[in-house]
Amino acid sequence: MTQAPAPLKAARRRHDREIVALAFPAFGALVAEPFFVMADSAIVGHLGTAQLAGLGVASALLMTAVSIFVFLAYATTAAVARRVGADDLQAAIRQGMDGIWLALLLGAVVIAVVLPTAPAVVELFGASDTAAPYATTYLRISALGIPAMLVVLAATGVLRGLQDTKTPLYVAIAGFVANAVLNVGLVYGADLGIAGSAWGTVIAQCGMAAAYLVVVVRGARRHGASLRPDAAGIRASAQAGVPLLVRTLSLRAILMIATAVAARLGDADIAAHQIILSLWSLLAFALDAIAIAGQAIIGRYLGAGDPEGARNVCRRMVQWGFAVGIALGVLVVISRPVFLPLFTSDSVVKDAALPALVIVALSQPICGVVFVLDGVLMGAGDGPYLAWAMLVTLAVFIPAAFLVPALGGGLTALWAAMTLMMIVRMLTLWLRARSGRWLVIGATR
């Protein structure tokens, strides 16, 4: 068996070090995010069922907002990383500030929409008469923290583009601790109830945004970058984000359709589906961490005018994604007997979930490749292609999903349709990666 040449081995080791250095802290920061909601739920849950139900509705709406505006992080990462590769840190931070100003503008718009419409939105999402007042209170107060939340997304993208994923991890951990302490103090110490939980989260989010801004402002002063809003730059950031917004909305539509189909299959199936979807989302964090490393590294290579280096690191990250996917798949199979009892003791729900979990396990190597290639193309600023590819995927998934109940299929068939969706994504992304059309070099795309 022939061994790889020494220069190739050295390049692989260098790529591996870069991937690990960026991916591991990114994974920690990603995992920290859901703990905000978990901490709020644990604290508010002791106030009563109606309060917890209200929190559930409001949190779902806020998490949807986070997923919709995540393009602030993705687009900013790619743009900043290109300028880092071109060795123009002043322009890199200036680009990052444009993303932050866009986040503030979008946050102001969201506040203006949410505050007057909160009761109607809560009612639209099916909150009960007893839970609706609590959901409305939480949503209105939490809306005040949305600009800070969006600044966190954009500033996270700035630091990722600067090849720094450790600072977001530290800020996320500090934010989680502050959120938990504030919630306990305001909910019980100040006796503010669910409003105290909302205010605690808003204060924690504002603190996180302030921490990020301190880091970015210091960098701007160090490199002589302007902090003032620039209309052209903000407009360019918005234009870069639109295709990624289309991609994200298409993916959210797929998940919503899958849940709607599962609900039509029966109570046991929708319960099992929610358990599996929670696991699927958790596994996605591990794979998304590699994708984040891809965004930062690929942008830097292309900004430095090194398409061959970008192609090589893409190939190495695909190997990482596939290998991590295999490991996660094995972990799912091994942990099934332990994992399911954590969520349910209903044997019918377990029976529905078990075979579907096998499908999820088998699909993890595919998911690994998809996440990595998604991150590579984001890092290359190839947003328009990602939008079209996701729309094609949605068009394939819709009939496949609705055929499941029509043909008498169950939850396993639905997750087979989800796997088909990931296969379509993999094919569209692989074709683009193979074509090399994404290898556009320069400080800007």
Side-chain angles (χ1 to χ4, degrees):
M1 183 175 179
T2 59
Q3 292 186 341
L8 181 58
K9 285 184 176 180
R12 285 179 179 173
R13 285 195 295 269
R14 184 175 69 254
H15 294 327
D16 289 346
R17 285 195 297 269
E18 288 181 326
I19 294 167
V20 170
L22 290 170
F24 270 83
F27 174 70
L30 289 170
V31 170
E33 292 174 10
F35 282 101
F36 272 79
V37 177
M38 290 177 64
D40 288 0
S41 299
I43 294 166
V44 172
H46 292 286
L47 294 174
T49 302
Q51 288 91 332
L52 184 58
L55 173 66
V57 172
S59 295
L61 291 167
L62 291 167
M63 293 303 292
T64 299
V66 172
S67 67
I68 289 174
F69 291 112
V70 74
F71 71 85
L72 288 166
Y74 293 159
T76 305
T77 297
V80 171
R82 275 185 175 271
R83 286 162 175 78
V84 169
D87 199 25
D88 190 351
L89 291 178
Q90 182 185 72
I93 296 175
R94 174 65 261 178
Q95 179 72 45
M97 284 305 305
D98 292 336
I100 290 172
W101 281 113
L102 176 61
L104 286 170
L105 289 173
L106 290 173
V109 171
V110 173
I111 287 178
V113 172
V114 170
L115 289 182
T117 62
V121 173
V122 166
E123 182 180 355
L124 181 64
F125 272 70
S128 67
D129 292 340
T130 54
Y134 297 112
T136 301
T137 296
Y138 191 92
L139 184 59
R140 277 181 164 159
I141 295 173
S142 296
L144 300 176
I146 286 179
M149 178 183 71
L150 299 189
V151 166
V152 167
L153 287 175
T156 299
V158 175
L159 294 182
R160 289 173 180 171
L162 293 170
Q163 317 296 296
D164 176 10
T165 55
K166 289 182 179 178
T167 299
L169 172 60
Y170 301 148
V171 173
I173 293 172
F176 167 72
V177 173
N179 178 66
V181 172
L182 286 166
N183 268 257
V184 171
L186 294 174
V187 171
Y188 298 110
D191 198 25
L192 294 179
I194 194 169
S197 177
W199 280 117
T201 301
V202 168
I203 294 169
Q205 288 170 339
C206 289
M208 292 172 67
Y212 275 117
L213 289 175
V214 167
V215 174
V216 174
V217 168
R218 282 178 178 173
R221 289 176 175 170
R222 187 181 309 119
H223 299 287
S226 173
L227 298 173
R228 295 178 180 178
D230 176 66
I234 294 171
R235 187 165 54 250
S237 295
Q239 289 172 346
V242 168
L244 297 179
L245 176 61
V246 172
R247 167 205 167 272
T248 300
L249 290 175
S250 299
L251 181 56
R252 293 297 302 179
I254 286 171
L255 297 177
M256 290 174 65
I257 290 168
T259 300
V261 170
R264 295 173 63 182
L265 299 176
D267 290 347
D269 285 300
I270 184 61
H273 176 74
Q274 288 303 115
I275 294 171
I276 295 171
L277 191 61
S278 298
L279 175 63
W280 196 74
S281 300
L282 179 62
L283 298 173
F285 284 136
L287 300 173
D288 202 26
I290 305 174
I292 288 169
Q295 294 170 29
I297 297 171
I298 292 295
R300 193 187 77 231
Y301 270 96
L302 294 178
D306 185 1
E308 191 58 34
R311 190 187 291 275
N312 289 337
V313 78
C314 170
R315 187 179 300 114
R316 188 58 175 166
M317 279 188 288
V318 168
Q319 293 171 354
W320 267 81
F322 187 76
V324 172
I326 291 176
L328 291 176
V330 172
L331 184 62
V332 169
V333 172
I334 293 174
S335 65
R336 281 186 307 161
V338 178
F339 173 75
L340 286 175
L342 294 176
F343 290 87
T344 182
S345 58
D346 190 327
S347 60
V348 178
V349 175
K350 290 179 182 178
D351 289 342
L354 279 171
L357 278 175
V358 174
I359 299 294
V360 170
L362 293 173
S363 70
Q364 286 309 296
I366 297 170
C367 294
V369 174
V370 167
F371 274 77
V372 166
L373 291 179
D374 202 43
V376 165
L377 296 183
M378 281 186 192
D382 206 11
Y385 181 84
L386 290 172
W388 283 110
M390 204 66 228
L391 288 171
V392 169
T393 303
L394 176 61
V396 172
F397 177 75
I398 289 174
F402 284 112
L403 277 174
V404 170
L407 298 178
L411 190 64
T412 303
L414 176 59
W415 276 93
M418 289 285 285
T419 301
L420 172 65
M421 177 269 294
M422 295 302 291
I423 291 172
V424 173
R425 287 187 71 189
M426 183 178 69
L427 290 175
T428 57
L429 297 175
W430 176 78
L431 288 171
R432 185 65 167 182
R434 188 170 178 270
S435 73
R437 294 177 183 173
W438 56 280
L439 292 165
V440 180
I441 61 173
T444 59
R445 184 179 171 88

